[in-house]
Amino acid sequence: MSSVAETQATQSPDRSWLATLLAKRELLLGIVILVTCIVFALGNPTFLSAAHLFGIGRSAVVVGIMALGVLLVLLPGGIDVSVSAIAVSAMYLTTVTLQALDFHGTFLVAVALAVVIGALLGLINGILVAWLKLPSMIVTIGTLTLYRGGLLAFVGTERIRSLPAQMSDFARTQLFTTQSAGRTVSLHASVLILIVLAVVLAFLLHRLWWGRYIYAIGDDEEAAKRMGVKVNLIRTPAFIVSGATAGLAGLFYAAMNRAADPSTFTGLEMTVLAAVVLGGAAVTGGRGSVLGTMLGVLLITVVGSSLVLVGIPAAWQDLFIGAFLLFGVCVPAIRDRRVERRRGMVVTE
């Protein structure tokens, strides 16, 4: 049998550099990103070109927006793997609807429609998890299949290449343009939208009572209930926001790639989850940050967008994503074990 004995820990006033890195996930990720960029730049100087760097920013938008929503679900101890199906459903349904109505208005209407569709699909997840007390993993695996299967069965399987005019106009909206390697390159406006969303979410999590309750539920749900926190009313909006951000990401993807394909995003939910966990979000809830999530997204995007530059087949991307996911789970476990040892928790067989 195992017995646990509590002893007085002798703590050194100076912590080791490794302990510091393990305790500060954002710092660790920043160093890893810097080293990764140096390696890629040495492998191929094209990595540092404006064209490639702008491309990395553009590629990070869809995963980044989805990751913000998934972070909200993870913090109170849930998980959402249906975001890819929600994104493609909102993207395709919005495109088909605008075409059927022959709509020529502002792009904001398309945004609102995609967000509403995503929010409604997220609400279904929220009701099943928060109110019917079903496991979030099982529920979202089920809705992942349900949403994608329903889209293909009842809406259509045709790849739409002729998008509504307002979506095509958004694809040409740039923050600024410059010259790189003898050609004109631009940074897409969606990068700024991602940054704004990240700032807003960070404010909600750290300045409003709703954000504090989300962390409290993930840290100790029973204690949060004793404090009077209405867990159902906190968890449900988290799933709604996750669905809404997925819908927005899907619309942006279709607009920027100038096509709506119902088979898009297959397997993307694992990339999003890996980015969030790599950024420091605990799969058990209670821990995670917007900054860490954005750094996780950036690292995965840098690696995924730059493998070919250094001669590594793009097929290896899944290998790196799997390694990142394991890394994101293992580092917190190592850190928690070190904390227990410093507190004097000694486990003996």
Side-chain angles (χ1 to χ4, degrees):
M1 290 184 62
S2 297
S3 63
V4 179
E6 293 190 8
T7 63
Q8 182 67 33
T10 57
Q11 299 184 9
S12 171
D14 297 323
R15 301 176 64 188
S16 69
W17 65 270
L18 178 59
T20 301
L21 286 181
L22 292 178
K24 298 182 180 296
R25 174 62 68 90
E26 290 85 358
L27 176 60
L28 175 61
L29 271 178
I31 293 173
V32 172
I33 292 172
L34 178 61
V35 172
T36 302
C37 291
I38 292 174
V39 170
F40 281 133
L42 292 176
N44 191 330
T46 307
F47 175 86
L48 296 176
S49 66
H52 185 68
L53 295 178
F54 287 177
I56 289 175
R58 180 188 178 104
S59 299
V61 169
V62 172
V63 175
I65 293 177
M66 287 189 191
L68 292 175
V70 171
L71 172 65
L72 270 184
V73 175
L74 278 178
L75 287 176
I79 192 169
D80 188 356
V81 297
S82 67
V83 288
S84 61
I86 293 177
V88 73
S89 297
M91 169 192 75
Y92 201 76
L93 287 172
T94 299
T95 305
V96 169
T97 301
L98 294 179
Q99 284 190 327
L101 297 175
D102 193 25
F103 181 76
H104 296 285
T106 174
F107 181 68
L108 293 178
V109 173
V111 170
L113 182 57
V115 168
V116 168
I117 292 172
L120 290 175
L121 296 179
L123 175 61
I124 295 174
N125 288 337
I127 292 174
L128 293 174
V129 173
W131 298 92
L132 298 185
K133 309 299 183 183
L134 300 178
S136 58
M137 172 67 82
I138 303 301
V139 167
T140 55
I141 288 176
T143 54
L144 167 69
T145 306
L146 176 66
Y147 296 157
R148 189 176 288 274
L151 177 68
L152 296 177
F154 299 108
V155 181
T157 59
E158 179 185 359
R159 178 184 175 91
I160 301 175
R161 296 183 181 275
S162 178
L163 297 181
Q166 61 271 23
M167 294 177 66
S168 298
D169 291 340
F170 177 75
R172 294 188 291 269
T173 305
Q174 312 295 342
L175 285 179
F176 61 87
T177 301
T178 186
Q179 295 292 321
S180 176
R183 63 191 183 97
T184 302
V185 295
S186 303
L187 181 63
H188 197 266
S190 58
V191 176
L192 177 61
I193 296 174
L194 171 60
I195 295 173
V196 171
L197 288 175
V199 171
V200 170
L201 181 58
F203 175 83
L204 293 176
L205 287 176
H206 296 286
R207 296 297 180 181
L208 297 185
W209 58 268
W210 182 65
R212 293 193 293 269
Y213 285 170
I214 281 181
Y215 279 101
I217 293 170
D219 188 55
D220 191 332
E221 182 173 338
E222 291 304 318
K225 288 179 179 178
R226 289 194 293 270
M227 292 170 55
V229 177
K230 303 296 184 182
V231 175
N232 294 348
L233 297 180
I234 301 299
R235 274 211 173 105
T236 304
F239 279 98
I240 293 174
V241 173
S242 180
T245 54
L248 180 63
L251 180 69
F252 280 4
Y253 180 88
M256 290 188 293
N257 289 274
R258 307 187 183 192
D261 189 343
S263 63
T264 305
F265 298 145
T266 301
L268 185 64
E269 64 279 352
M270 295 311 298
T271 302
V272 175
L273 183 60
V276 179
V277 173
L278 183 62
V283 292
T284 54
R287 186 168 61 229
S289 70
V290 172
L291 176 58
T293 297
M294 290 295 96
L295 289 174
V297 169
L298 180 59
L299 178 57
I300 285 182
T301 305
V302 166
V303 172
S305 302
S306 307
L307 291 177
V308 177
L309 285 180
V310 294
I312 301 176
W316 282 54
Q317 183 174 352
D318 289 343
L319 184 150
F320 282 100
I321 290 173
F324 287 149
L325 185 56
L326 290 176
F327 178 81
V329 173
C330 291
V331 168
I334 295 172
R335 178 180 58 192
D336 291 344
R337 179 172 296 182
R338 293 179 64 91
V339 170
E340 289 179 0
R341 287 175 178 172
R342 288 198 301 272
R343 289 176 178 174
M345 300 297 293
V346 181
V347 180
T348 60
E349 295 293 334

